[in-house]
Amino acid sequence: MGMVYTLFFCISSLFTVGEKTISEKLPRYYEIQIHYAEPGRLKYLQNRYRRFAVPLYRKHNVQVEGFWSPVDPNDERIVCILSYYNQAAWLRATKDFLRDPKWKKGIEESESVGRLEAKTERHFLSPTDFSKERFANSGVKGRVFELRTYNATPGKLPNLLARFRNHTCKLFEKYGMTNLWYWTVVDAYPAQETLIYILSHPSQEAGLKAFTDFRNDPEWIKVRKESEDKAGGSLTVKVESLYLKALDFSPMK
């Protein structure tokens, strides 16, 4: 637990300065956590979150948005999205959660088979003005989710957001993709130039086909060229995609 507390206090120190500014601007404060299981122990780590973490998150006023694992069975990770009213609420909730005796007991009990988690990555997120605020948690049976991360070319994040706002999201819908959350990363000052978003598809195959059709769409080809000509080059330096399936205890399915 010492490492967990150290991580919490290191992260909290990053957000102490300028707390008022952040909390006033964000209607909700999101956190994405990516938990890497020790080899062969993903099911035990999932069970820890199912039995212990999710009930305690709710106890401490943390909104659980969703839990997923990659579609690839060899990828032993858990992706978790949590949200809070603001950054100050995150500080209070995280402090109370980590100090809760039931969480400490849950870690001890779940690690009877050995260490479960190799490492955790997390980012703090601000919803964009075109991110959906409300949507049905249940969709097509067996649907998959796609987590996409775009590292913007330095100075070009506003251009990238404008392209999504005015064109890309509508074209996604044209090809049967469901737009869910869209965020920018607020881990640093100034905020990292990163866009993270989640789509859903009826299946991974449907998602891959939809993106192929999207990339070949004449309107997209035109919009992409015009936006890059205006910005003086590509709006992104790196794009990552991860297909996910909702876990049984995830509110979003």
Side-chain angles (χ1 to χ4, degrees):
M1 286 300 294
M3 183 176 70
V4 175
Y5 278 108
T6 300
L7 175 63
F8 166 68
F9 287 113
C10 287
I11 293 172
S12 64
S13 66
L14 291 174
F15 291 90
T16 301
V17 178
E19 174 181 326
K20 183 176 181 181
T21 301
I22 293 176
S23 63
E24 286 179 350
K25 287 185 177 180
L26 299 184
R28 288 195 72 81
Y29 189 73
Y30 288 83
E31 179 182 11
I32 181 170
Q33 300 177 355
I34 302 179
H35 303 273
Y36 292 72
E38 291 285 357
R41 291 181 176 163
L42 178 60
K43 67 178 182 179
Y44 298 104
L45 187 60
Q46 290 173 343
N47 197 43
R48 173 195 283 175
Y49 281 91
R50 178 187 296 108
R51 291 185 57 202
F52 301 107
V54 170
L56 289 173
Y57 282 146
R58 291 171 177 151
K59 172 184 174 182
H60 295 296
N61 298 314
V62 178
Q63 178 69 35
V64 178
E65 303 290 352
F67 274 87
W68 302 266
S69 279
V71 170
D72 180 356
N74 296 314
D75 190 337
E76 296 188 291
R77 289 183 285 177
I78 296 173
V79 176
C80 167
I81 302 290
L82 306 173
S83 66
Y84 313 83
Y85 180 71
N86 55 29
Q87 187 262 345
W90 168 78
L91 286 171
R92 289 193 301 270
T94 303
K95 176 181 175 181
D96 293 342
F97 172 83
L98 291 175
R99 291 179 175 176
D100 194 304
K102 290 184 179 180
W103 177 237
K104 297 177 183 179
K105 181 180 178 182
I107 290 179
E108 181 179 354
E109 182 178 325
S110 62
E111 293 195 343
S112 61
V113 297
R115 181 181 172 88
L116 303 186
E117 189 164 350
K119 67 175 182 176
T120 300
E121 294 177 356
R122 66 187 70 211
H123 290 291
F124 298 91
L125 310 169
S126 169
T128 67
D129 59 354
F130 53 89
S131 179
K132 287 192 175 183
E133 294 183 3
R134 297 183 182 278
F135 31 73
N137 284 347
S138 296
V140 178
K141 184 177 181 180
R143 72 172 173 169
V144 300
F145 298 81
E146 186 179 5
L147 174 67
R148 296 182 65 86
T149 303
Y150 289 37
N151 296 120
T153 302
K156 300 296 191 295
L157 181 59
N159 305 72
L160 181 63
L161 296 177
R163 189 166 73 187
F164 269 87
R165 180 187 302 110
N166 299 326
H167 304 284
T168 310
C169 290
K170 296 174 185 176
L171 287 169
F172 282 171
E173 292 176 352
K174 175 180 177 180
Y175 291 103
M177 299 184 243
T178 300
N179 294 295
L180 297 174
W181 295 280
Y182 283 81
W183 305 281
T184 53
V185 175
V186 292
D187 285 2
Y189 297 93
Q192 293 182 12
E193 295 187 276
T194 302
L195 170 67
I196 296 176
Y197 64 97
I198 296 180
L199 304 171
S200 73
H201 310 283
S203 66
Q204 183 174 1
E205 293 74 17
L208 292 170
K209 183 181 185 303
F211 258 98
T212 297
D213 294 342
F214 160 76
R215 293 187 183 102
N216 292 326
D217 187 289
E219 182 180 350
W220 165 245
I221 294 171
K222 178 175 180 289
V223 164
R224 179 176 180 176
K225 183 179 185 305
E226 289 177 350
S227 62
E228 291 182 350
D229 287 347
K230 182 178 179 180
S234 176
L235 305 188
T236 60
V237 293
K238 184 179 180 182
V239 175
E240 296 178 311
S241 169
L242 178 64
Y243 277 89
L244 303 166
K245 57 184 178 182
L247 297 176
D248 62 277
F249 54 94
S250 174
M252 173 62 76
K253 291 186 174 65

